[in-house]
Amino acid sequence: QVQLVESGGGSVQAGGSLRLSCEASGYISSSYCLGWFRQALGKEREGLAVFDGDGTATYADSVKGRSIASRDNIKTIWYLQINSLKPTDSAMYYCALDLRSGTYCSPASLLVARGMDNWGKGTQVTISS
């Protein structure tokens, strides 16, 4: 059974940066679609980025141009760095893994988390102005 654990959240001032980590345990390779999502209090879950098994990242408009998704293939850890943080970035951040659909993410992976059956418990990000 695969478990995902997010870390790297915290309280940061606006304009700062954070690098979130998502570590997978259990027997797994890194050749799957992984997604980053967030949910603020009282709001719907929002897709931020998906990372194909071949290393290609796709970003949502909300973080495009100020985020970098990456992966450590050996340690099976994915990262999401977000720069120029804003108070509106405050949310619980989650990673999720699609183990059924193969190497590549689809647009629906990002938009509606299609296929994302394995979720971490999240890491809280709070941005102060």
Side-chain angles (χ1 to χ4, degrees):
Q1 184 175 356
V2 174
Q3 290 187 324
L4 300 177
V5 178
E6 302 93 339
S7 61
S11 295
V12 177
Q13 285 196 325
S17 299
L18 279 174
R19 190 174 81 154
L20 307 179
S21 300
C22 173
E23 184 169 5
S25 62
Y27 180 71
I28 185 175
S29 76
S30 58
S31 301
Y32 295 101
C33 171
L34 181 121
W36 286 97
F37 303 85
R38 70 185 177 191
Q39 188 166 19
L41 276 175
K43 296 191 176 182
E44 292 188 355
R45 184 179 61 204
E46 175 188 13
L48 302 176
V50 290
F51 196 87
D52 285 334
D54 68 354
T56 303
T58 303
Y59 301 94
D61 288 344
S62 59
V63 296
K64 191 179 296 182
R66 62 187 183 101
S67 291
I68 301 172
S70 60
R71 179 184 64 199
D72 182 325
N73 293 335
I74 296 175
K75 296 180 180 178
T76 321
I77 302 175
W78 290 262
Y79 302 98
L80 181 67
Q81 176 156 339
I82 309 177
N83 304 314
S84 303
L85 286 160
K86 313 169 188 177
T88 51
D89 290 319
S90 297
M92 186 72 80
Y93 283 68
Y94 301 89
C95 61
L97 201 60
D98 179 357
L99 295 177
R100 296 186 295 169
S101 302
T103 300
Y104 297 102
C105 307
S106 69
S109 303
L110 179 61
L111 290 173
V112 297
R114 179 178 292 175
M116 300 292 177
D117 290 339
N118 298 271
W119 290 78
K121 294 184 178 180
T123 185
Q124 179 68 42
V125 170
T126 303
I127 310 302
S128 57
S129 57

